[in-house]
Structure formats: structure tokens, C-alpha cells
Amino acid sequence: MAGTEEASPNPAEGTGERRCACVIAHPQDDGERSRVQAALDNGLATNDAHGVFVACMQLLQPCPARYEVVAR
């Protein structure tokens, strides 16, 4: 059944890397980016407006986890 698969382990756990905590999660590595790009391509091919919207939000919005925190 779709959506019931076990989630893959978070590769950043225990490494100290910052992961995206945004409502619409942004891809943090090349594997995630390719999955989001595939979802965008599928949404465009099937005229799925919501799928295209979500994939675009994941790919285009700035993510605070991508920027290094600067202590002042």
C-alpha cells in the first residue's frame, strides 16, 4: 500500500549535520534532489498540479539548513 513503507534512516543523525525542518522539506543531498526532480517530472507528465506545486516548493525555496549558522 502506498505511503506505508518504512521511512529510510536519516543519514544526518549522529553526524551533527543540519537537516531541513521546514514544513515542505527541501532536499539536502543529490539523492533527495533527484527524487524530487523525478516527482516534478512525473507531475508535469500527468498534469498533477499539486504534485508540481509541492516539487517546485521543495526545489525553489531557500532553506535555512543550507546555510551555516554564524555565531555573533
Side-chain angles (χ1 to χ4, degrees):
M1 179 184 219
T4 59
E5 298 85 15
E6 184 177 328
S8 60
N10 185 347
E13 287 180 3
T15 64
E17 288 184 31
R18 292 185 63 195
R19 298 300 289 175
C20 179
C22 299
V23 173
I24 297 177
H26 301 95
Q28 299 297 306
D29 58 28
D30 291 334
E32 290 177 3
R33 178 170 281 286
S34 66
R35 285 191 295 273
V36 173
Q37 183 65 49
L40 176 60
D41 295 339
N42 183 45
L44 290 169
T46 60
N47 293 324
D48 178 8
H50 291 107
V52 170
F53 176 74
V54 170
C56 285
M57 293 297 290
Q58 287 179 301
L59 292 171
L60 299 177
Q61 293 297 313
C63 178
R66 293 183 185 163
Y67 305 110
E68 194 173 314
V69 177
V70 178
R72 292 182 184 199

